[in-house]
Amino acid sequence: RIMRPDDANIAGNVHGGTILKMIEEAGAIISTRHCNSQAGEPCVAALARVERTDFLSPMCIGEVANVSAEITYTSRHSVEVQVNVMSENILTGAKKMTNKATLWYVPLSLKNVNKVLEVPPIQYARKEQEDEGKKRYEEQKLDRLETKQRNGDVILPVINPEPHTVGYSQSSLIHLVGPSDCTLLGFVHGGVTMKLMDEVAGIVAARHCKTNIVTASVDAINFHEKIKKGCVITVSGRMTFTSNKSMEIEVFVDADPFVDEPRERYRAVSAFFTYVSLSKEGKPLPVPQLLTETEDEKRRFEEGKGRYLQTKAKRQAQMQQAAQQ
Amino acid sequence: RIMRPDDANIAGNVHGGTILKMIEEAGAIISTRHCNSQAGEPCVAALARVERTDFLSPMCIGEVANVSAEITYTSRHSVEVQVNVMSENILTGAKKMTNKATLWYVPLSLKNVNKVLEVPPIQYARKEQEDEGKKRYEEQKLDRLETKQRNGDVILPVINPEPHTVGYSQSSLIHLVGPSDCTLLGFVHGGVTMKLMDEVAGIVAARHCKTNIVTASVDAINFHEKIKKGCVITVSGRMTFTSNKSMEIEVFVDADPFVDEPRERYRAVSAFFTYVSLSKEGKPLPVPQLLTETEDEKRRFEEGKGRYLQTKAKRQAQMQQAAQQ
Amino acid sequence: RIMRPDDANIAGNVHGGTILKMIEEAGAIISTRHCNSQAGEPCVAALARVERTDFLSPMCIGEVANVSAEITYTSRHSVEVQVNVMSENILTGAKKMTNKATLWYVPLSLKNVNKVLEVPPIQYARKEQEDEGKKRYEEQKLDRLETKQRNGDVILPVINPEPHTVGYSQSSLIHLVGPSDCTLLGFVHGGVTMKLMDEVAGIVAARHCKTNIVTASVDAINFHEKIKKGCVITVSGRMTFTSNKSMEIEVFVDADPFVDEPRERYRAVSAFFTYVSLSKEGKPLPVPQLLTETEDEKRRFEEGKGRYLQTKAKRQAQMQQAAQQ
């Protein structure tokens, strides 16, 4: 679809959240179709996890996004989908890769949303594809358990914070879940949640560096719990780490099922977003360093540095490998 | 309502699809109101057909659209509505006619969507109005049968197409039908479908000529089958014909009721859109000629030429008539 | 236009904010048209104030809103507009008055947004109409000055609040101002701001009483300062008063012009919203009493009680007057 003014920030760069929402919609369609391809109980595929994804180049207003999706692995109860986004300037014909993402879905019964159904197996062209898929499946399963523990944390308000401290840029928004946010089952689309998360992370980043900012990457996101229509969700973000030219923001999504349900507020999703600041010519700008004050902030900064260095090392290894081939 | 940046392309011209959507909403309101004006089973008017319509002058961001609708004929089971769209520049006060359209609706029972109810007859000021209406009714009925046959065609992807060929500009999008796309009966509003069709046709036209393009006219559209909430619809478009200054694009809408229904994908709507390319001053530009390769493409080009010459002849006849009066 | 699922809460009642947005759009169109009706500098009418308005009966999904607007007074630099909203059930044909509102606009030059232009005078049918209009004009001018002083207040976060305290239900959201939120001058439409205010007030009310709630009335709203495209706005609400069957919520809108402007955050708008809680049959339910803790909270509760009693007395006087006629 064509990118519109509302899909973009004031500098004309399309929000990462808009792209994440399109990716998730494509993933949900292909996996729902696959899971209903054999006779049996009708179901809807619900997003369980998105793997780490990099935004390779910013998309602009007026460009057309081409989204393609393919099922790359099936376990007994889950589907792995690979989604590619190409942006095309229809005036010049130029195309570039914007984003590649891997998503995991589970089929939930239309009749009973708490029942996970079985996934029809796919055929692999080569045996290795199945083995590699299985390895990815095991890895993400482990990681999902880990993040569940990190989730207890809460973002507390700070009164009269200094510029460039964590408290200064932290932000939160509330959103009442309406019908168009939801799937047929009455639960929020994963893509809607990711769009709101990107919105908050973007505001945190802009408050910190007061320039035009764009999403550079998103860490793996796990969807621990479904969010129902009529809930109020609170999406909050705080900066955890800055390198010379990037900012890492942690985002939490909490759901408040306050109408006609006795349940307490719960943590539904959490993730790390990385942003860069761009000059008017689209070049990355230096970012003011984050001032950490409390012990927790210092610890989170160090953890963020760890993730940053690890990603950097991985990317260098990949580039070396590519150079040797 | 005021036209917003989201309603328009990057040159500020309002999408034909936005106007079609407003027209259909007005038509649905007036015909639903009429069909419920007598005691009896409550019903909702569903769009069956839109007659060929010309976009007389482009509308711009910031202008106000005034939409007025009138019922001009009723048969036993259908209502003909005439809708006029005037655009008003509220800064200068200038008004101009943007579009006139004729739509046909049928009343479907709220309790049983497969039951078509009877339409209360309207009073005609003059007997001739009724006769002319009846003639229009018979004509559209014939035409509806004809297009039903053409519907089998499918748009297949082409790999590495040359510029200006049919394969080069053909495009498609998928859309998951959500609650706000639907009427009270849970079926997609005709206006929503037409907006998506215009979006695809616009992308095809822009890919072909790589300039600012606007909708010039839409051929009669027949809505053969309803599309239900939860369906995935695929909207695909391909260029069929180019004259010196216009492009004709054929658009298909296919519905995939993949959840909870055993039904196969089916063709729901098809139509021809005509686009023109505009210079920065708003003057029509020459269009690169369409390169036809296969026999089918050549045949469709000739058919398109037929429609083009027929429309041109009709318009000239009307202008002569107007000049003689 | 037809009310859609997205315009309503889960019980099917249309959000007061959706109605306020439609009212403001109608007011902006008619007053911009009027202010440009004489030769001179082109201008856009900006919302300066909305008088207190009552929601007389809830509107539902599927109903059609008919909005009509009329200019009722002009001073040298401002226009008073009266807007009426009727809701129509197109299935039964039943119509009822939903809302009457009075809005004040000022014409700002298209070339220089800081320049307020002169308003062409309207003709009054009777001399008394002009006198009454002048009286309303003087009253609102006074009131605008008063609220400007109240504006210093800030809503501070509360950690681990008890149910039914002020801190328990207070809420805030952030919103990045995009192109479709804005007028031709690049400033947020008053109606967009009011819709966000109603959204926050509704969440505060629902958090307090955990039932289906609807907007009953909105106190006069003054728009002290314009909000520019690209700003982040923070909309925060806290409960100030509860009667047996109603809740009063104070809402603040603060603007943060953080990108490419050196300006500090400023208070742009503030207002009081009154909500009632409805049973499944649409009857008003008793509301849990607000627990006030601090001196400020107790003072605000008493002020709210004053407004409540004043409104109640006014309404009784009007009903007696109506009964005597």
Side-chain angles (χ1 to χ4, degrees):
Chain A
R1 72 178 189 78
I2 299 189
M3 294 296 112
R4 309 221 174 91
D6 264 20
D7 297 322
N9 63 23
I10 24 176
N13 300 125
V14 172
H15 296 296
T18 300
I19 298 168
L20 291 171
K21 193 165 175 256
M22 286 189 303
I23 288 174
E24 201 274 325
E25 190 169 306
I29 290 175
I30 196 174
S31 47
T32 299
R33 186 187 285 153
H34 176 75
C35 294
N36 286 286
S37 61
Q38 287 187 358
E41 228 176 306
C43 62
V44 169
L47 183 65
R49 178 180 161 92
V50 182
E51 298 293 347
R52 183 193 157 78
T53 174
D54 291 300
F55 289 83
L56 308 171
S57 59
M59 205 183 277
C60 294
I61 297 174
E63 290 187 340
V64 172
N66 287 302
V67 182
S68 57
E70 189 193 357
I71 294 180
T72 42
Y73 182 73
T74 50
S75 75
R76 197 169 159 204
H77 290 299
S78 66
V79 181
E80 187 201 49
V81 182
Q82 176 78 38
V83 183
N84 293 330
V85 184
M86 301 281 293
S87 71
E88 177 189 0
N89 182 324
I90 48 176
L91 302 185
T92 65
K95 283 185 193 185
K96 52 188 190 215
M97 177 64 77
T98 297
N99 198 297
K100 283 181 190 193
T102 306
L103 301 92
W104 294 88
Y105 287 86
V106 289
L108 302 180
S109 162
L110 251 188
K111 286 171 206 153
N112 173 2
V113 292
N114 295 315
K115 189 173 161 194
V116 177
L117 300 181
E118 295 211 359
V119 174
I122 58 165
Q123 303 297 327
Y124 302 91
R126 288 173 297 115
K127 178 77 175 69
E128 299 91 77
Q129 292 180 337
E130 185 169 2
D131 296 343
E132 285 161 20
K134 185 156 195 184
K135 212 177 123 202
R136 291 194 301 272
Y137 169 73
E138 300 293 348
E139 278 171 4
Q140 60 92 23
K141 214 169 157 184
L142 257 179
D143 187 84
R144 258 202 261 184
L145 285 174
E146 266 174 44
T147 51
K148 215 158 185 175
Q149 296 165 345
R150 201 177 56 204
N151 267 342
D153 222 345
V154 184
I155 296 184
L156 291 177
V158 175
I159 293 159
N160 295 323
E162 291 294 307
H164 304 136
T165 58
V166 175
Y168 182 77
S169 59
Q170 71 180 33
S171 305
S172 72
L173 65 78
I174 49 177
H175 175 76
L176 181 62
V177 174
S180 36
D181 300 328
C182 291
T183 64
L184 284 180
L185 292 172
F187 294 108
V188 178
H189 282 290
V192 169
T193 311
M194 289 194 285
K195 192 162 185 273
L196 289 168
M197 292 170 86
D198 179 69
E199 201 175 319
V200 165
I203 289 173
V204 172
R207 278 191 166 144
H208 182 78
C209 65
K210 297 182 185 307
T211 54
N212 177 37
I213 48 85
V214 294
T215 320
S217 68
V218 185
D219 237 54
I221 311 183
N222 294 307
F223 292 81
H224 306 296
E225 296 231 31
K226 295 187 288 280
I227 304 170
K228 218 177 154 178
K229 184 160 74 185
C231 277
V232 168
I233 54 181
T234 304
V235 186
S236 7
R238 68 173 162 215
M239 197 161 287
T240 42
F241 168 74
T242 50
S243 73
N244 284 343
K245 295 198 175 166
S246 73
M247 298 161 274
E248 187 197 59
I249 296 118
E250 181 167 27
V251 183
F252 296 126
V253 180
D254 296 305
D256 230 333
F258 62 14
V259 175
D260 71 32
E261 272 200 58
R263 209 182 152 186
E264 285 296 293
R265 170 190 277 230
Y266 59 92
R267 172 72 33 96
V269 197
S270 63
F272 291 101
F273 283 71
T274 300
Y275 274 75
V276 292
S277 162
L278 292 185
S279 71
K280 277 179 186 158
E281 294 74 38
K283 297 266 170 245
L285 291 174
V287 162
Q289 210 197 324
L290 182 67
L291 301 179
T292 51
E293 295 172 313
T294 67
E295 280 314 302
D296 277 346
E297 287 173 11
K298 288 182 208 305
R299 181 183 46 75
R300 284 196 297 263
F301 192 93
E302 286 310 313
E303 289 170 2
K305 196 175 193 167
R307 282 185 294 269
Y308 170 75
L309 293 173
Q310 216 182 338
T311 308
K312 207 173 161 180
K314 256 191 209 164
R315 201 174 301 158
Q316 284 176 340
Q318 282 171 351
M319 282 169 72
Q320 279 190 352
Q321 238 182 359
Q324 281 165 4
Q325 280 171 354
Chain B
R1 72 179 188 79
I2 299 187
M3 294 296 112
R4 308 227 172 88
D6 263 20
D7 298 322
N9 62 23
I10 22 178
N13 300 126
V14 172
H15 296 295
T18 300
I19 298 169
L20 291 171
K21 192 164 176 256
M22 286 190 302
I23 287 173
E24 201 274 324
E25 188 168 307
I29 290 175
I30 196 173
S31 47
T32 299
R33 184 191 284 153
H34 176 75
C35 294
N36 286 286
S37 62
Q38 286 186 359
E41 229 174 306
C43 62
V44 169
L47 183 64
R49 178 180 161 92
V50 182
E51 299 292 346
R52 183 193 156 77
T53 174
D54 292 301
F55 291 82
L56 308 171
S57 59
M59 205 184 278
C60 295
I61 297 174
E63 291 187 339
V64 172
N66 287 303
V67 182
S68 57
E70 189 192 358
I71 293 179
T72 43
Y73 181 74
T74 51
S75 75
R76 198 167 158 207
H77 289 300
S78 67
V79 182
E80 186 200 50
V81 183
Q82 175 78 40
V83 182
N84 294 328
V85 184
M86 302 279 295
S87 73
E88 179 189 359
N89 182 324
I90 48 174
L91 302 184
T92 66
K95 283 184 192 184
K96 53 187 190 220
M97 178 64 77
T98 297
N99 198 297
K100 282 181 190 193
T102 306
L103 300 93
W104 294 88
Y105 287 87
V106 290
L108 302 179
S109 162
L110 251 188
K111 286 170 205 154
N112 172 3
V113 293
N114 295 315
K115 189 173 163 196
V116 177
L117 300 182
E118 296 209 359
V119 173
I122 58 163
Q123 302 297 326
Y124 301 91
R126 288 171 300 113
K127 178 76 175 70
E128 300 89 77
Q129 291 179 338
E130 186 169 2
D131 296 342
E132 286 161 19
K134 187 158 195 181
K135 211 176 124 204
R136 291 193 301 271
Y137 169 72
E138 300 294 349
E139 279 172 5
Q140 60 91 23
K141 214 170 157 182
L142 258 179
D143 187 84
R144 257 202 265 184
L145 284 174
E146 268 175 44
T147 51
K148 218 162 184 172
Q149 296 166 346
R150 200 177 56 205
N151 269 343
D153 221 346
V154 184
I155 297 183
L156 291 176
V158 175
I159 294 158
N160 294 325
E162 291 294 306
H164 304 138
T165 57
V166 176
Y168 182 77
S169 58
Q170 72 182 30
S171 306
S172 70
L173 64 79
I174 49 175
H175 174 76
L176 181 62
V177 175
S180 25
D181 298 328
C182 292
T183 65
L184 283 180
L185 293 172
F187 293 108
V188 178
H189 281 290
V192 169
T193 311
M194 290 194 284
K195 192 161 184 272
L196 290 168
M197 293 170 86
D198 179 69
E199 200 174 319
V200 166
I203 291 174
V204 173
R207 276 188 170 144
H208 182 77
C209 66
K210 301 188 183 305
T211 53
N212 177 37
I213 47 86
V214 294
T215 318
S217 68
V218 185
D219 236 54
I221 310 182
N222 294 308
F223 292 81
H224 305 296
E225 295 232 32
K226 295 186 287 279
I227 304 170
K228 218 175 152 178
K229 184 160 74 186
C231 279
V232 168
I233 54 182
T234 305
V235 186
S236 9
R238 68 174 162 215
M239 196 161 289
T240 43
F241 168 74
T242 49
S243 72
N244 285 343
K245 295 198 176 167
S246 72
M247 297 160 274
E248 188 196 58
I249 295 120
E250 182 168 25
V251 183
F252 296 127
V253 180
D254 296 305
D256 229 335
F258 63 10
V259 175
D260 76 31
E261 276 199 53
R263 211 181 151 185
E264 285 294 293
R265 171 191 276 230
Y266 60 92
R267 172 74 32 98
V269 197
S270 63
F272 291 101
F273 284 71
T274 300
Y275 273 76
V276 292
S277 161
L278 292 184
S279 71
K280 277 181 187 156
E281 294 75 36
K283 298 266 170 246
L285 290 174
V287 163
Q289 211 196 323
L290 183 66
L291 302 179
T292 51
E293 295 171 315
T294 68
E295 280 313 303
D296 277 345
E297 287 173 10
K298 288 183 209 304
R299 178 182 48 75
R300 284 197 297 264
F301 192 93
E302 287 309 313
E303 290 169 1
K305 196 176 194 167
R307 282 184 293 269
Y308 170 75
L309 293 173
Q310 213 182 339
T311 308
K312 207 173 161 181
K314 255 190 210 164
R315 203 175 301 158
Q316 284 175 340
Q318 283 170 351
M319 281 170 71
Q320 278 189 352
Q321 237 183 0
Q324 283 166 4
Q325 280 170 355
Chain C
R1 74 177 189 78
I2 300 189
M3 294 298 112
R4 308 225 173 89
D6 265 18
D7 299 321
N9 61 23
I10 23 175
N13 301 125
V14 172
H15 295 297
T18 300
I19 299 170
L20 290 171
K21 194 163 174 254
M22 288 190 302
I23 287 174
E24 202 274 323
E25 190 168 306
I29 290 175
I30 196 174
S31 47
T32 300
R33 183 191 286 153
H34 176 75
C35 294
N36 287 286
S37 62
Q38 287 186 359
E41 230 174 305
C43 63
V44 170
L47 183 64
R49 177 180 162 92
V50 181
E51 299 292 346
R52 182 194 158 77
T53 175
D54 291 300
F55 289 83
L56 308 171
S57 58
M59 204 182 279
C60 294
I61 298 174
E63 292 187 338
V64 172
N66 287 301
V67 182
S68 58
E70 188 193 357
I71 294 180
T72 42
Y73 182 74
T74 51
S75 76
R76 199 169 158 203
H77 290 300
S78 67
V79 181
E80 186 201 50
V81 182
Q82 174 79 37
V83 183
N84 293 329
V85 184
M86 301 281 295
S87 73
E88 179 189 357
N89 183 323
I90 49 175
L91 302 184
T92 65
K95 284 185 192 184
K96 53 189 189 214
M97 177 65 76
T98 297
N99 199 297
K100 284 181 189 192
T102 306
L103 300 93
W104 294 88
Y105 287 86
V106 289
L108 302 180
S109 162
L110 251 188
K111 286 170 205 154
N112 172 3
V113 293
N114 296 314
K115 190 173 161 195
V116 177
L117 299 182
E118 295 210 359
V119 174
I122 57 164
Q123 302 298 326
Y124 302 91
R126 288 172 299 116
K127 178 74 175 71
E128 299 90 75
Q129 291 179 337
E130 185 169 1
D131 296 342
E132 285 162 19
K134 187 157 193 182
K135 210 176 125 200
R136 291 194 301 272
Y137 169 71
E138 299 295 349
E139 277 171 6
Q140 61 91 23
K141 213 170 157 183
L142 258 179
D143 186 84
R144 258 203 262 183
L145 285 175
E146 265 175 45
T147 52
K148 216 159 185 174
Q149 295 165 346
R150 203 176 55 203
N151 268 344
D153 219 347
V154 184
I155 296 184
L156 290 177
V158 174
I159 293 157
N160 295 325
E162 292 294 307
H164 305 135
T165 58
V166 175
Y168 183 74
S169 58
Q170 72 181 30
S171 305
S172 71
L173 64 78
I174 48 178
H175 175 76
L176 182 61
V177 175
S180 31
D181 300 328
C182 290
T183 66
L184 284 179
L185 292 171
F187 293 108
V188 179
H189 281 290
V192 169
T193 311
M194 289 194 285
K195 193 160 182 275
L196 289 169
M197 293 171 85
D198 179 69
E199 202 175 318
V200 165
I203 289 173
V204 172
R207 277 191 167 145
H208 182 77
C209 65
K210 298 184 183 306
T211 54
N212 177 38
I213 48 86
V214 295
T215 318
S217 68
V218 185
D219 236 53
I221 311 184
N222 294 308
F223 291 81
H224 306 297
E225 295 231 31
K226 295 186 287 280
I227 304 170
K228 219 176 153 178
K229 185 160 72 186
C231 279
V232 168
I233 54 180
T234 305
V235 185
S236 8
R238 69 175 161 213
M239 197 160 287
T240 43
F241 167 73
T242 49
S243 71
N244 284 343
K245 294 198 175 169
S246 73
M247 298 161 274
E248 188 197 58
I249 295 120
E250 182 167 25
V251 182
F252 296 125
V253 180
D254 296 305
D256 231 334
F258 63 15
V259 174
D260 73 33
E261 273 200 58
R263 209 181 152 188
E264 285 295 293
R265 171 191 276 231
Y266 60 91
R267 172 72 34 96
V269 196
S270 63
F272 291 101
F273 284 71
T274 300
Y275 273 76
V276 291
S277 162
L278 292 185
S279 71
K280 277 181 186 157
E281 294 75 37
K283 299 265 169 244
L285 291 174
V287 163
Q289 209 195 324
L290 182 66
L291 301 180
T292 52
E293 295 170 315
T294 69
E295 280 313 303
D296 278 344
E297 287 174 11
K298 288 182 208 302
R299 179 182 48 73
R300 285 196 297 265
F301 191 93
E302 287 308 314
E303 290 170 1
K305 196 175 194 169
R307 283 185 293 270
Y308 170 76
L309 293 174
Q310 217 182 337
T311 307
K312 205 172 162 182
K314 257 191 208 164
R315 201 175 301 159
Q316 284 176 339
Q318 283 172 348
M319 281 170 72
Q320 278 190 351
Q321 238 183 359
Q324 282 165 4
Q325 279 170 357

